[in-house]
Amino acid sequence: MRNEKWGIALSSGFPEKIRIFDTTLRDGEQTPGISLTPENKLRIAKRLDELGVTVIEAGFAAVSEGEMEAIKLIAKEGLNAEICSCARGVIGDIDAVKKSGADSVHLVIPTSDLHLQYKLKKSREAVLKITEDCVQHAKDQGLIIELSAEDATRSNSGFVKKVFFTGVSAGADRICPCDTVGVLTPEKTYEYFSKMRKNFANVQISAHCHNDFGMAVANSISALRAGANQVHATINGLGERAGNAALEEISVALKFIYGVKIPIKTELLYGTSRLVSRLTGVPVQPNKAIVGDNAFTHESGIHVHAVLEQPLTYEPISPELVGVTRRLIAGKHAGTHGIKATLAEMGLHPTDEQLQETFQRVKTLGDKGKRVTDADLQAIAESVMGLPKTRSILLEEITVVTGDRVTPTASVRLNLNGNVLTEASVGIGPVDAAMNAVRRAVSAVEPIQLEHYHVNAITGGTDAAVEVIIRLRKGDRVATAMGVRGDIVMASVEAMLSGMNVLLVDYNKINSKRVENGGK
Ligand code: KIV
Ligand code: ZN
């Protein structure tokens, strides 16, 4: 079979029904520095369920009270996905899984000599006995059992086989040889899982791939082709060290390159990625495949020109298929076509001469190493076109209160096209409170979301000037803007208001008013 769009040979060999086992809330949470509250775990679990994952590994019930509470909350939610908890080969861990209300246990048994000698300090015989006892105990508790061999890919293969035979004979429902430190290659993975499938013809087989050598996604796909019917993955590739296989990358490659059916609603991937990034505090690298900020963003003139004619020239798939909006960026590499298209979206239609002048000014700024935001482009074009500096939204007053044992609170008074809007809000800190107050005031009239917030200190010291860069969305439109001040709250509010201005200015209204006023 061939994928006609790209002429790529489609591989048969994939299972009819691919299962996606999401471990964002367990292996993903083991990313250094991440710690999710039960409420935030529940928010992510609900989103994963909407996305269509088959299994949600919600955590490790025996680890802490918070973990137990989180799994209980998620298990009670009545989601479509199977809810799973991780457990070591310890009876108490399995009891904790049962107590959490999870449907299944992800029972992890180390199998490599390295792990047996230095971590467990147990013999292979002892590990086989533990496997048998734990699987039997989990079965008695009525749990679905996924039995993982930890560090399987660096283990004696005969021993891994014995562990799985023991587990399956005792009632394990699925087996998973883990590539714990990511040492497989796509070729070795294919061989490994082909053998696995021969040895365990009637058992569900999972792949759990880590990204230490950047091959987790390719290895997961290779495992599916060779005989696995389930892959473990995390949103944004979160996980220990270099992370796990990224769910969004596996899903999109399977669906759009291999043409395979998957349970994932790919159009929800970007939103899910952003939710996970926000709640875990781990930013997504801009050039990350599928969900990175630059994955569907174009600046270079040649690319933008071609993409405006036919997006497939420089995009392998439409951004909408993964829930992203294409963005064109003004900067040193930009061309007139891109700038014209961006200005048209803002409602600005310069003459050819004005466009050339705007283009030159953007290039000059780019050459000086300046990042040109949409708000900058708007200001340049307004000045070139001789338009008055339009501000649909103005800050009339802001008060922010913060301190020890005080909930950070902000109140704002804004003027939106002559209408006064007042609002107050609390936040995690003073910046959050101020941004929330502005957003709430404006959202009552215009639904605008903050998609991205980034702060840089551009000078040193406690009196450093800070640069805040934001990206806002209103329906299909996005706008970037920057605020630079010595005060981080004011820099943030400034960025927010100039971004909102790009999205809210109505040049048609302004032009008709100017005509009424005789061109002023
Ligand atoms: O990478 C790994 O081996 C794991 C196990 C705990 C399943 O995450
Ligand atoms: Zn892992």
Side-chain angles (χ1 to χ4, degrees), residues 499-510:
M500 284 180 163
N501 194 56
V502 175
L503 296 172
L504 296 175
V505 167
D506 184 342
Y507 287 103
N508 285 336
K509 246 192 209 161
I510 291 166

Side-chain angles (χ1 to χ4, degrees), residues 298-304 329-336 339 359 362-363 366-367:
H298 312 277
E299 178 182 320
S300 118
I302 298 169
H303 285 218
V304 171
I329 296 282
K332 174 171 124 174
H333 307 104
T336 45
I339 288 182
F359 169 68
V362 166
K363 287 241 173 219
D367 274 337

Side-chain angles (χ1 to χ4, degrees), residues 162-234:
K162 266 193 194 160
V163 168
F164 284 150
F165 268 123
T166 304
V168 170
S169 311
D173 301 278
R174 307 190 288 260
I175 55 174
C176 177
C178 296
D179 189 24
T180 302
V181 291
V183 292
L184 286 180
T185 60
E187 298 76 19
K188 278 199 229 157
T189 307
Y190 193 86
E191 243 175 72
Y192 194 99
F193 279 83
S194 301
K195 276 194 199 141
M196 241 328 127
R197 181 44 79 208
K198 269 198 200 117
N199 289 329
F200 296 92
N202 299 312
V203 184
Q204 302 213 47
I205 301 177
S206 289
H208 180 103
C209 299
H210 275 271
N211 205 31
D212 297 70
F213 290 90
M215 285 190 274
V217 169
N219 291 344
S220 303
I221 292 171
S222 207
L224 286 171
R225 279 194 57 220
N229 66 306
Q230 177 174 275
V231 280
H232 290 195
T234 59

Side-chain angles (χ1 to χ4, degrees), residues 455-461 463-469 482-486 491:
V455 59
N456 296 320
I458 49 179
T459 55
D463 60 349
V466 292
E467 177 186 86
V468 171
I469 296 165
M482 190 191 292
V484 183
R485 294 278 195 107

Side-chain angles (χ1 to χ4, degrees), residues 89-102:
V90 171
I91 297 296
D93 278 22
I94 297 165
D95 290 340
V97 174
K98 181 65 190 170
K99 196 170 151 205
S100 74

Side-chain angles (χ1 to χ4, degrees), residues 364-480:
T364 308
L365 280 177
D367 274 337
K368 286 184 183 154
K370 263 211 73 168
R371 179 185 174 135
V372 185
T373 64
D374 293 319
D376 295 327
L377 178 62
Q378 181 192 39
I380 294 169
E382 279 176 352
S383 139
V384 169
M385 293 168 75
L387 293 170
K389 203 165 175 327
T390 42
R391 288 289 164 264
S392 300
I393 183 156
L394 295 167
L395 177 67
E396 292 197 341
E397 195 181 292
I398 181 162
T399 310
V400 182
V401 181
T402 189
D404 194 19
R405 271 167 283 173
V406 173
T407 306
T409 310
S411 58
V412 289
R413 194 170 70 232
L414 304 169
N415 187 315
L416 177 61
N417 293 323
N419 299 315
V420 174
L421 308 171
T422 53
E423 190 57 81
S425 183
V426 293
I428 303 289
V431 171
D432 191 42
M435 299 292 261
N436 286 343
V438 172
R439 212 149 21 106
R440 281 175 60 168
V442 177
S443 289
V445 191
E446 298 280 357
I448 292 182
Q449 294 151 23
L450 176 65
E451 264 198 357
H452 177 84
Y453 174 92
H454 184 80
V455 59
N456 296 320
I458 49 179
T459 55
T462 51
D463 60 349
V466 292
E467 177 186 86
V468 171
I469 296 165
I470 54 120
R471 190 170 71 238
L472 300 175
R473 171 180 291 276
K474 179 172 177 259
D476 280 351
R477 285 190 59 202
V478 286
T480 52

Side-chain angles (χ1 to χ4, degrees), residues 23 26-28 30 57 106 150 178-181 208-210 232 234 239-241 243-244:
T23 181
R26 199 276 301 169
D27 221 345
Q30 286 173 220
E57 188 175 23
H106 178 200
E150 189 182 15
C178 296
D179 189 24
T180 302
V181 291
H208 180 103
C209 299
H210 275 271
H232 290 195
T234 59
E240 300 258 12
R241 307 180 309 281
N244 289 62

